[in-house]
Amino acid sequence: MIARLAPSHLTFPVVGVGGSAGGLQALLKFFENMPANPGMAFVVILHLSPVHESNAAEILQRASSMPVRQVSASVPIEINHVYVIAPRADLLMNDGHLQMAPKERPIGPAVAIDVFFRTLAQVHRNQAFAIVLSGTGSDGAVGLGRIKAEGGVTLAQTPEEAEHGDMPRAAIATGLVDIVLPVADMGRCLVDLWANAQRIELPMRDMEISGPLVQATPALASAESNEFALQEIMALLRSYTHHDFRHYKRGTMLRRIERRLQVNALTNLASYRDYLRGHPGEAMPLLQDMLISVTNFFRDPQAFEALARDVLPDVVGNRAEDDQARIWVAGCATGEESYSLSMLMREAAAARGRPSDMQIFATDIDERALATARRGVYPGGIAADVSPERLREFFVKEQDQYRIQPGVREQVLFAAHNLLRDPPFSRLDLICCRNLLIYLDSSAQASVLEMFHYALKPGGYLFLGASESADPAGARFTPVDKKNRIYRAEASTSARPRLVTPPTRHRNVLSSALERNVVEIQHGQRRQPAAEMHLQAIQSISPASVLIDSQHDILHLSPTAGRYMEHGGGAPSANLLNNVTPDLRLELRTALFQAA
């Protein structure tokens, strides 16, 4: 368990380097080939014997022109310095310092690299780099996800050249490694990445351009150009992957794209848009970066303890003997929270002497994450989050990994599901949706919460993330434990909620039928009442459309286009851009430009 840490004030990168004492040769080669004065600090985390002192710092000093020291107490991090972990301790990063923490795991797999990577990501965010070098085991694989989620860059040594290839191979297998290189090339790569990071130009994350720019200044014109590029990137991503991120917060999108600029040595949105056009294969890494989320077993332990204490006994106890508890984990990622709930439910049932009869629906839009969840095999680093008692009861140890016990696994159904587009489950006792709403804009948050209320039984529970709230849903939920973000659904007769992004299947067929019917009406052909009803039905579900001239003035509206219209103040205007809702203007302007 890692406590809350203070954000870093450092203005240079901190590079976490993980390996094992048996892989010292890789570390020596790494520092021997490091350019002079690289402009960053290095923290070396090794698997060291708890019963012997270490001379790793002295050995590395022979290969490095930078000062190298073993960390034996809290120290401030300095640029162009190397810090080495000491035996019998973990290293944490807190603000601009390294802190020692007593190692609380006398037995079990090594997780010191994961522990440091997590704090490095939490504190130093997009100025963090993580490297996995030669070593045995899978330590570091969990922490890489944290580094990427916070905007950092991850590297691994080419396994074929590593003396012990287990660790880099396990890291690469997670899909979380950005760059795989021979160790001798990593120093120059890091320096180049940092140099490029300092040249990256992004628009302000809270700035939006709306309406036409008249007498635009160069700065405003540049801002509008950036907005066009951002919308075009999102449109290309939709085209390539069929995933729609229009309701994601703008700041989230920019953070994810910034990582791709960094990895691809690009400096602005326009250059990345052009790169994405010319390299369609880049769409999948971008998609994975957009989808990446921070998760682990029993994340926010106090919140899970509150859930186990105050909610799950009610879910287990207040139902008929033949009634199955129904739980939905929305945005389940790689499955850790779903299995955490399964374990807690089994413990709650055992405490009441009842069978653990439940069905957990675990859903996500990331097929790769779902594949990991279905396998139910996790690296040894989960020992930092799961107690030894639960590891023994609910997991099977397989070398340096842990496999979920079949009984726990069988009660969790993993499925692809888009929260913004697909219908919800129903008659649920509990919905767990943690740290997904924070990525969505306010209108999408309200719609999702409305959907959750519809899906829950009256009195059912909603469990959100630490930075989320059910307040956008109004009176539909009441707090059970506001600190730990646990809410209860109020009884209501609300109708089935509208999906945020309606499904698009069959729309082209319906549009063609509508066009044919409109032509027949315009030519005066009479219709039977049934045909008129059929036309009206088609019109009600087909996409809205507008006919405009070359100046974007409106010539004709389809019957359903009105729901996208909003008249602004001032003199009336026939211009389409002045009459659509504000959240459509940027993307519509880009689409009109592309069409022209």
Side-chain angles (χ1 to χ4, degrees), residues 506-508 510-511 514 538-546 558 560-561 563-564:
H506 307 315
R507 280 187 168 182
N508 291 339
L510 290 169
S511 298
L514 175 59
I538 291 173
Q539 287 177 335
S540 68
I541 60 174
S542 66
S545 59
V546 182
S558 71
T560 56
R563 64 179 182 268
Y564 299 108

Side-chain angles (χ1 to χ4, degrees), residues 42-359:
F42 300 85
V43 183
V44 177
I45 310 296
L46 297 171
H47 297 157
L48 300 174
S49 168
V51 297
H52 297 102
E53 296 306 314
S54 171
N55 61 350
E58 289 83 356
I59 295 173
L60 294 179
Q61 185 64 82
R62 301 170 197 162
S64 176
S65 59
M66 296 177 283
V68 181
R69 64 178 294 183
Q70 179 175 285
V71 179
S72 55
S74 178
V75 296
I77 299 173
E78 298 181 65
I79 195 169
N80 296 331
H81 279 60
V82 180
Y83 303 89
V84 182
I85 193 171
R88 300 176 295 279
D90 286 329
L91 267 188
L92 313 178
M93 185 171 172
N94 192 357
D95 190 0
H97 290 70
L98 291 173
Q99 295 179 342
M100 290 182 63
K103 187 170 288 187
E104 299 174 352
R105 303 169 303 279
I107 58 174
V111 297
I113 301 172
D114 277 316
V115 168
F116 179 72
F117 282 179
R118 290 187 190 195
T119 64
L120 174 62
Q122 183 177 340
V123 168
H124 211 44
R125 308 197 69 177
N126 65 344
Q127 292 189 69
F129 295 90
I131 299 176
V132 176
L133 298 182
S134 174
T136 58
S138 60
D139 193 12
V142 174
L144 292 175
R146 298 295 185 88
I147 296 288
K148 285 194 71 166
E150 296 295 344
V153 178
T154 58
L155 302 89
Q157 181 181 7
T158 305
E160 291 72 22
E161 73 149 23
E163 186 177 357
H164 305 285
D166 292 355
M167 278 175 47
R169 196 172 289 114
I172 294 167
T174 65
L176 298 170
V177 173
D178 295 310
I179 301 168
V180 179
L181 282 176
V183 70
D185 297 335
M186 287 184 169
R188 173 49 57 189
C189 177
L190 287 170
V191 171
D192 291 344
L193 285 169
W194 176 232
N196 184 74
Q198 295 174 89
R199 293 191 296 266
I200 289 176
E201 298 177 358
L202 290 176
M204 290 185 293
R205 287 173 181 166
D206 59 351
M207 177 180 179
E208 292 192 21
I209 308 295
S210 61
L213 290 176
V214 181
Q215 299 293 327
T217 66
L220 284 175
S222 175
E224 187 175 38
S225 175
N226 273 323
E227 293 302 325
F228 284 159
L230 177 60
Q231 297 303 325
E232 288 175 314
I233 290 166
M234 291 296 100
L236 286 167
L237 184 61
R238 283 198 304 278
S239 174
Y240 290 145
T241 70
H242 307 296
H243 285 289
D244 188 347
F245 291 92
R246 280 177 292 184
H247 290 285
Y248 274 52
K249 287 181 179 175
R250 188 168 175 280
T252 298
M253 294 189 294
L254 287 171
R255 280 194 300 272
R256 300 300 195 243
I257 294 170
E258 183 178 15
R259 255 191 45 78
R260 301 311 307 166
L261 291 175
Q262 175 77 302
V263 171
N264 291 294
L266 300 169
T267 59
N268 56 51
L269 294 179
S271 63
Y272 185 70
R273 173 202 59 205
D274 297 340
Y275 181 83
L276 189 58
R277 282 175 177 164
H279 301 80
E282 168 64 15
M284 288 313 296
L286 174 59
L287 176 65
Q288 292 304 322
D289 275 16
M290 295 293 289
L291 295 177
I292 193 169
S293 59
V294 176
T295 185
N296 52 266
F297 287 96
F298 304 102
R299 187 184 179 196
D300 301 327
Q302 290 182 344
F304 272 94
E305 289 168 9
L307 187 78
R309 181 184 64 246
D310 302 330
V311 172
L312 298 190
D314 184 47
V315 173
V316 169
N318 292 341
R319 56 186 174 88
E321 289 291 337
D322 58 347
D323 192 14
Q324 190 179 58
R326 291 167 58 85
I327 298 171
W328 180 16
V329 181
C332 68
T334 45
E336 288 90 336
E337 286 190 345
S338 311
Y339 291 129
S340 297
L341 274 173
S342 179
M343 291 181 241
L344 291 177
M345 282 289 291
R346 294 169 77 88
E347 290 172 350
R352 284 179 166 256
R354 301 194 61 171
S356 57
D357 191 10
M358 62 179 148
Q359 180 66 71

Side-chain angles (χ1 to χ4, degrees), residues 6-20:
S8 170
H9 69 277
L10 302 177
T11 58
F12 52 85
V14 176
V15 184
V17 186
S20 65

Side-chain angles (χ1 to χ4, degrees), residues 441-471:
D441 63 29
S442 56
S443 63
Q445 287 183 18
S447 296
V448 168
L449 288 168
E450 181 184 354
M451 177 193 293
F452 286 162
H453 184 267
Y454 175 84
L456 285 165
K457 296 176 181 176
Y461 295 94
L462 175 64
F463 185 31
L464 300 178
S467 300
E468 297 169 330
S469 168
D471 291 348

